[in-house]
Every structure is written in structure tokens, then in C-alpha cells.
Amino acid sequence: MTASRTRPRTREASVPRATRPARRAIAPRSSAGFAGGAGSALSLSGCSSLGTGRLSPGPGPAAKERTRGGGSVFPAAHTPGVAREKNDPGAAPATRLALAQRALWEAEDVVALGPPGADVARLGVGAAWIPDAHERAAAKGVAVGGVAYAGAHEVALTYLPKGTRRRDYVLALACSVAPRVALVGAKKGGIKPGKKALAQRGTIRATAAGAHCQIVVADVEQVEAPALERWESRFEVEGLEMVSLPGTFAAGRLDEGTARLLEVLELPETGRLLDVGCGAGVLACVAKRRRPGLEVVASDADDFAVESTRRSAAANELAVEAMGSDVYANVPGRFDVIVTNPPFHRGVGTEYGTARRIAREAPTKLRRGGTLWMVANHFLPWGEVLEESFAEVERVHAGRRFKVWRATGARG
Ligand SMILES: C[S@@+](CC[C@H](N)C(=O)[O-])C[C@H]1O[C@@H](n2cnc3c(N)ncnc32)[C@H](O)[C@@H]1O
């Protein structure tokens, strides 16, 4: 260890437009059958946007029955003015393509499954992503997982998630809720292999491209809702059993940067600790195991990560509170210690904005005398960013690949 001070154009569909699919008979399922089952906090919201909506005026009997079955966790964001726009310049490219090609997937009853950032609400078929969907659902006493899936839908409009395992999980989910799946995603985000994966589940009936994205519509074999437990990866860190759900950071192993941070991390016996961007909860769980007197909170913008952390904590009987949050937005109170291995990717691109916010806004979440610990790839300039917000910034590890920073004396 070293220590040193520093200062669309949208093309037409390539095959004929889809017509409304005939509804298939699908056996009813209980909510317990979905995504982890009853008692599991992870819902289909883990996808993470989710909503259902009718695209024709007025609900029919089937929709009414579904609503009675549980009510929606997600407030209806049916905004016809927006939904009817062919091209919404404010929408993300995948959403723009979906809007431009809505004839391919439009049906009486559409469920939308989207990752964070997919502005499902613009499609008029659902609500925008809610980071704390689990908490809201729990507060309302709604059985998460049974909401959008308490009946069969005609079409599952599905945003392609990042990562093969999450894609496969989300496709299985989509195929469990609708006989027709419309998969939309960026060309650089893996839509080609996504199309192949979809083709294995049924018959491709239409494709269209635009805005550097593609939409693929297939009639699929209906499957049972995938049991999330079967999609877990487990790995060990300091004798703890960590649980990682599909697409959660580090894919079922200890990340090297996280390991470096754990080697040098110094913790108080008591006080409050926040692991921001917690992934599977490695930092949070190890901190709680090392210092049982600490109150440990973990947060992540990704529902799969939040649920992974909950499962990791439960597997080791550790009291760690995990919550969905964009950086500090939903995290209440201040902390004596903040630990982070911040993200620097979004989708397939590099993104430093979140790490910068974690560093810059940390003073607003730290108690007097509190410390921020941060690990990053050696080439990232976080030392200088931290110096803007902290009086004391120390590089406590400088290895070939990673640096670890300790910052105290929050300014402001
Ligand atoms: C490099 S991983 C670190 C995961 C975990 N702390 C570890 O060390 O294994 C960064 C995490 O930040 C999360 N993340 C990305 N954007 C975020 C945001 N805006 N707010 C909170 N967390 C975010 C990602 O989902 C990911 O789990």
C-alpha cells in the first residue's frame, strides 16, 4: 500500500406490418409465480421500468379484472398526447424508434418492460422508472410481481437490457407475459444477438430500424415466469456468501477494485455507513460483518442490484438496509462513512457523470468529520475532483490498475 497526498431517420419496416395478434389462451398464474415469488422484493420492476397500458380508448373487461386482482404499483401515465406523437424528439433513440414503428406492436393490451432510462411513459403504455418501486409497493401492501402479470397481455414491448444474462432473463419474462414480444434496442447495444435470442423463442414476424436502433417483433412460445432464484450467481467474499442477480455488477465474482478498497478500508466501530452504487452489496456486507456496531445502508439505481444486496445480506443474516436511489436522491440522513466503487459505464458507453456526482455531493451526505472512500481505475482523475469538495484528500492505494482515495474535511 502506498500513501501520498495530492492535490432517425426511421426506415420502413422490412416486412409487412403486424396485425393485432389473436389472443392465446394462457393459464392464469398467481403472483407468487413471478420473479422470485411472494415475499421477494424484486418485481418485474427489476427490469426496471414497467407498466401496462391500453392503447385503445376505455378499458375492456379483461383489463378491469386485472386491476381488481392487485392494482398497479405504477401510476398510470397514459398521456395520449405524447403517446400519439410519431416522433418525439425528447425521447431516447430506442423509444423514438418504438414510437415511429408503433404499428408493429400496437395492440389493445401492451406491457412495457424497460431498463432504467428507458422512457416508457412516452410510449403511453406505462409509467416512468421508479427507483424505489419496491419500497412503494411494500408500503402499499401490494404483492410486487403480481401486478402487471396477473393476466396475459397481448404484446410485451421490451427494451433490450445490457448483458447477456439479464437479456435472457428479461426475454424469458417477456415470453411469460405475452405471446408476442417486440424487442427494441440499440445496434451497438447488442440488438443483433438479441434478435437471435428472440428467434430461438419463436417466429420473427417484423423488423424495422432507425435512430441507430432496431425493433424486432416475434410471436413466441409462452413459458412459465422464470424463477429468479435459478438466475442467481453466488460467490464468496471474506467468508460471506454474496448473491448476484442477472446483470448485476461483476457478474458473480469479487471485483478487483472492490478488493483493493476492502484491503485499505478503515472503519469506525459505530456510526452510519453508506455504500453508494452497492451492486451485489459486497462493501456493505463486509463492512457490517467487520463492524457489527455500524448502521449500514446500501443504495443503487438498478433494482437488480438492490435486490442482490438484500439477498446477500439475508444469506449472511446481516442487517443491511438496501434501497433504490439515483446517487443520494432517495437516501435519508447523513453518514459517518461513505464507501463507493462508482460506475463509469452506461450501456456500452463510458460515463463519468455519476462518479463525479458521488464525489461532489458527498459533503451534503456526510456528518461532520465524515469520510468518503472511493476506488477507481488508475487513470481516472478523481483526486482533483475530490479536492474541490474536501480539505484532505489522500491516495491510500496506488496500484497498477486501481487507486483508492480517502477524503475528509468536507467543504460547505
Ligand atoms: C462499479 S459497480 C460497483 C458495485 C459494488 N459496489 C461493488 O463494489 O461490487 C457500480 C454500481 O453503481 C450503480 N449505479 C450506476 N448508476 C448509478 C446511479 N446513478 N446511482 C446509484 N448507483 C448507480 C450500478 O448499478 C453498479 O451496481
Side-chain angles (χ1 to χ4, degrees), residues 357-398:
R357 281 167 58 209
I358 290 173
R360 288 206 171 131
E361 295 169 24
T364 67
K365 295 305 287 178
L366 282 170
R367 288 173 172 166
R368 187 185 288 273
T371 308
L372 170 68
W373 293 80
M374 189 164 181
V375 62
N377 285 71
H378 71 97
F379 54 85
L380 297 175
W382 298 129
E384 287 137 49
V385 174
L386 288 167
E387 277 173 2
E388 293 168 17
S389 307
F390 292 88
E392 297 273 327
V393 178
E394 199 174 351
R395 199 178 63 203
V396 291
H397 170 84

Side-chain angles (χ1 to χ4, degrees), residues 248-250 253 255 258 275-283 299-302 305 325-328 340-346 351 354 357-358:
T248 305
F249 175 74
R253 62 176 173 79
D255 173 63
T258 308
D275 173 3
V276 60
C278 58
V282 174
L283 292 169
S299 67
D300 202 291
D302 177 13
S325 178
D326 174 21
V327 186
Y328 304 113
T340 188
N341 177 359
F344 60 96
H345 285 117
R346 179 176 292 158
E351 193 260 347
T354 305
R357 281 167 58 209
I358 290 173

Side-chain angles (χ1 to χ4, degrees), residues 24 45 73 76 81 87 95 97 120 167 192 218 255 330 334 361 365 384 401:
R24 290 186 191 172
S45 71
V73 175
N87 250 319
T95 307
L97 177 64
V120 174
R167 177 201 70 199
K192 235 177 164 177
D255 173 63
N330 296 343
R334 287 182 178 252
E361 295 169 24
K365 295 305 287 178
E384 287 137 49
R401 298 191 57 205

